[in-house]
Amino acid sequence: DKLVNERLISMAYGQIGMIQASAGFFVYFVIMCENGFWPSKLLGLRRSWDSIAVNDLEDSYGQEWTYKDRKILEFTCHTAFFVSIVIVQWADLIICKTRKNSVFQQGMKNWFMNFGLVFETLLAVFLSYTPGMDKGLRMYPLYFNWWLPALPFSLLIFIYDECRKFLLRRNPGGWIEKETYY
């Protein structure tokens, strides 16, 4: 067996990775919508959005946005995308504990892994809320409710993999094992 094979790449990038990317884009669009930029308004907006000369760009509600305010909103969306990836990585780390056993069978006794979950979350909090990060990394503070839209995606990843592992245990050597057991 190779360390990295086609099934691992398919699971990591083709399945779980797509759910993670969807979480990031979903949070991005949620924040844009909450600030007046519906997805239909965003299409074809890049040239005006990035123009420093445009200080009266209208959103979907007719509000005008200056260049500076647009960039703050954009960088806030980038921060939220990053945080959403951290949130879905919680599930990703937990599902990678075992290849066949359920996390309910295995438990969460690995204190190094538990520390890693807490550490990555605290790091995201630190990067999002520390004063000066807007200058250094262009990361802006998020409202608490902007952390929440990624949670269903994290739950989806967890349930998806628990179902996959259940089918692996129930049908050893079956199609699921041939296609997804890495």
Side-chain angles (χ1 to χ4, degrees), residues 15-68:
Q15 297 171 41
I16 304 300
M18 292 296 177
I19 297 171
Q20 291 177 346
S22 298
F25 287 117
F26 181 71
V27 172
Y28 190 94
F29 283 115
V30 163
I31 293 173
M32 287 301 236
C33 287
E34 282 188 15
N35 283 279
F37 289 97
W38 290 92
S40 59
K41 183 75 173 179
L42 292 173
L43 294 174
L45 192 63
R46 176 55 63 189
R47 182 169 289 172
S48 299
W49 185 275
D50 284 336
S51 175
I52 202 163
V54 177
N55 279 311
D56 58 352
L57 184 69
E58 275 193 18
D59 64 13
S60 301
Y61 300 124
Q63 302 173 96
E64 292 184 349
W65 288 74
T66 65
Y67 175 78
K68 182 182 175 199

Side-chain angles (χ1 to χ4, degrees), residues 127-141:
L127 292 173
S128 299
Y129 297 106
T130 300
M133 287 297 172
D134 58 329
K135 309 271 186 293
L137 296 177
R138 294 198 258 187
M139 296 186 83
Y140 284 81

Side-chain angles (χ1 to χ4, degrees), residues 69-89:
D69 291 336
R70 291 192 310 266
K71 286 301 172 182
I72 289 172
L73 177 59
E74 180 181 342
F75 298 142
T76 301
C77 288
H78 294 175
T79 305
F81 197 105
F82 164 73
V83 165
S84 74
I85 296 301
V86 168
I87 290 170
V88 293
Q89 284 294 312

Side-chain angles (χ1 to χ4, degrees), residues 91-167:
D92 197 28
L93 179 63
I94 292 168
I95 68 172
C96 289
K97 278 180 56 93
T98 66
R99 293 192 295 170
K100 276 191 179 178
N101 288 340
S102 169
V103 73
F104 301 110
Q105 294 170 325
Q106 185 77 20
M108 294 288 291
K109 297 174 188 153
N110 183 339
W111 292 108
F112 290 106
M113 186 193 77
N114 295 339
F115 173 77
L117 286 169
V118 171
F119 181 78
E120 77 170 328
T121 305
L122 292 176
L123 183 61
V125 168
F126 175 80
L127 292 173
S128 299
Y129 297 106
T130 300
M133 287 297 172
D134 58 329
K135 309 271 186 293
L137 296 177
R138 294 198 258 187
M139 296 186 83
Y140 284 81
L142 301 175
Y143 295 125
F144 175 75
N145 62 320
W146 290 343
W147 285 68
L148 303 178
L151 288 174
F153 291 89
S154 193
L155 186 63
L156 174 64
I157 290 170
F158 180 76
I159 291 170
Y160 173 76
D161 202 64
E162 283 295 314
C163 291
R164 183 187 70 83
K165 289 175 185 176
F166 172 77
L167 293 172

